[in-house]
Amino acid sequence: MNESPPPATAGAPPSATERPGPPPGPSGKPPDVLSAQRVVPLRHPGRWLLTAVVLLVVAQVAHGLVTNPFFQWDRYRYWFLRPVIVDGLLITLKVAAWSALFGLLGGIVLAVARLSPSPVLRTVSWVYVWLLRSIPLIVLLLFLYNFGALYRTVTLGVPFGPGLLHFDESKLASEQVVAIVGLSLNEAAFAAEVVRGGVLSVDQGQHEAAAALGMPRGYQFTRIVFPQALRTIVPSYVNQLIGLVKSTSLVFYVSLLDLFGQVESLGSTYPSDVVPLLLVATTWYVILTSVVSLIQFYVERYFSRGALRSLPPTPLQQLRTRLRDVRARIAIGAAG
């Protein structure tokens, strides 16, 4: 005689065959069916149309550059690495490097004076920044170039008293010195505002905490405030350097043959090569500013540590991510 199974009690757990399956998705289909379906990316017809228009314009410009004989690309290749061009490029790099260094040092001094409790220092710093930012750079360079007409000798000694050391201005201020001094004076005015903005960006609580610990003001600035201000100062000043590199082309007007000066001089000697020579100068300036821009990217990335949850990807990392996305889309398309 077969016995029937005992009836399930109210408190016993259900068996595996009696357990309910996963809830259906919003469309009413089970999740396993939904996960097996192909994911179709969202279409952006407007974006594709705009991309096609931009590519068409870029292709048209590139075609004009390549096929227009007026550009004389053979002469461009001839002049690109000529020794006279390289010499001018080295002078440009030298003037830009020294001007950037002296401009930054002068900007730090001016910013400290501007933030000083002394009204005299604050006023002098404000007047300097106001005046130098108002004078066009080419006017400043020409004024310094003709400085010898005002003072033929430079004297160091007791103020309003006898002079101890005398220098002939014509021998002291060569064209390169005039260019570096002019660019440095102009750069210091802008760097001062960059440094002052960086110092003011530090939270006031940091100043108060350092003062509460009894630190001297100089120690507060060099060990507490200035390291934090560098996060704001350095990226902004590196951006300022791009303008400085391009401004070096003005030193041609004080008879210094930098990159632009050499191009101008060669253009007068070879009038038929003016366009390729200008293209050579343009290419070198683009290379120089691109290097500075690359340095700016990595400097900003370095100083963003701790301020951002994740660092911005490098160009190589972005390329790898795009290639991985393309491979994933190709794999999805092949599977579909």
Side-chain angles (χ1 to χ4, degrees):
M1 181 178 179
N2 295 332
E3 297 181 354
S4 61
T9 58
S15 61
T17 55
E18 295 174 347
R19 290 177 182 173
S27 60
K29 298 180 180 179
D32 52 346
V33 177
L34 292 175
S35 61
Q37 292 181 348
R38 179 188 175 190
V39 177
V40 179
L42 185 63
R43 308 296 182 187
H44 300 281
R47 185 187 303 173
W48 283 104
L49 179 62
L50 182 60
T51 303
V53 172
V54 171
L55 289 177
L56 183 62
V57 172
V58 172
Q60 183 66 40
V61 172
H63 179 267
L65 287 174
V66 173
T67 59
N68 191 341
F70 188 69
F71 290 107
Q72 306 179 63
W73 291 110
D74 56 335
R75 302 299 296 169
Y76 169 84
R77 289 190 294 272
Y78 172 78
W79 285 114
F80 190 73
L81 290 175
R82 298 297 297 175
V84 64
I85 296 294
V86 175
D87 291 342
L89 177 65
L90 293 178
I91 291 178
T92 296
L93 291 174
K94 185 177 180 181
V95 170
W98 282 114
S99 302
L101 177 62
F102 291 142
L104 179 60
L105 295 177
I108 293 174
V109 173
L110 288 169
V112 172
R114 184 78 183 276
L115 297 171
S116 170
S118 169
V120 175
L121 295 179
R122 285 203 310 270
T123 304
V124 171
S125 176
W126 181 86
V127 170
Y128 179 91
V129 173
W130 165 73
L131 188 62
L132 268 294
R133 289 200 307 180
S134 303
I135 299 176
L137 178 57
I138 187 171
V139 176
L140 176 63
L141 289 172
L142 291 176
F143 183 81
L144 292 174
Y145 187 63
N146 294 283
F147 193 74
L150 299 174
Y151 302 97
R152 298 190 179 277
T153 58
V154 178
T155 304
L156 296 179
V158 180
F160 305 105
L164 302 178
L165 298 174
H166 302 273
F167 302 96
D168 188 354
E169 196 276 341
S170 60
K171 296 180 180 178
L172 184 65
S174 63
E175 290 83 2
Q176 195 166 122
V177 172
V178 169
I180 293 175
V181 170
L183 289 172
S184 300
L185 292 176
N186 181 77
E187 192 69 13
F190 291 92
E193 291 301 286
V194 172
V195 174
R196 189 175 70 90
V199 172
L200 293 178
S201 68
V202 178
D203 188 74
Q204 190 62 27
Q206 298 290 324
H207 298 263
E208 296 172 355
L213 293 175
M215 294 181 179
R217 292 184 61 85
Y219 196 79
Q220 292 178 28
F221 183 79
T222 56
R223 302 304 298 269
I224 304 296
V225 177
F226 197 63
Q228 298 184 63
L230 282 177
R231 181 179 298 171
T232 305
I233 293 172
V234 174
S236 301
Y237 188 69
V238 174
N239 190 41
Q240 181 74 20
L241 291 181
I242 295 177
L244 174 63
V245 171
K246 293 188 294 183
S247 299
T248 55
S249 60
L250 295 177
V251 302
F252 166 69
Y253 294 99
V254 295
S255 302
L256 182 62
L257 295 180
D258 67 325
L259 176 61
F260 180 72
Q262 294 288 7
V263 166
E264 280 290 306
S265 178
L266 291 172
S268 301
T269 308
Y270 304 93
S272 60
D273 288 355
V274 169
V275 173
L277 285 169
L278 289 176
L279 286 174
V280 168
T282 302
T283 304
W284 277 117
Y285 281 118
V286 169
I287 292 174
L288 294 180
T289 55
S290 299
V291 171
V292 177
S293 300
L294 186 64
I295 295 173
Q296 179 191 7
F297 171 78
Y298 282 100
V299 168
E300 289 182 356
R301 191 171 185 271
Y302 177 82
F303 280 98
S304 64
R305 296 181 306 169
L308 301 177
R309 294 185 182 276
S310 60
L311 295 178
T314 63
L316 184 59
Q317 291 173 339
Q318 293 181 13
L319 179 61
R320 288 175 179 172
T321 303
R322 291 185 180 277
L323 290 177
R324 189 165 53 248
D325 293 342
V326 169
R327 284 199 296 267
R329 291 190 177 188
I330 293 175
I332 292 174

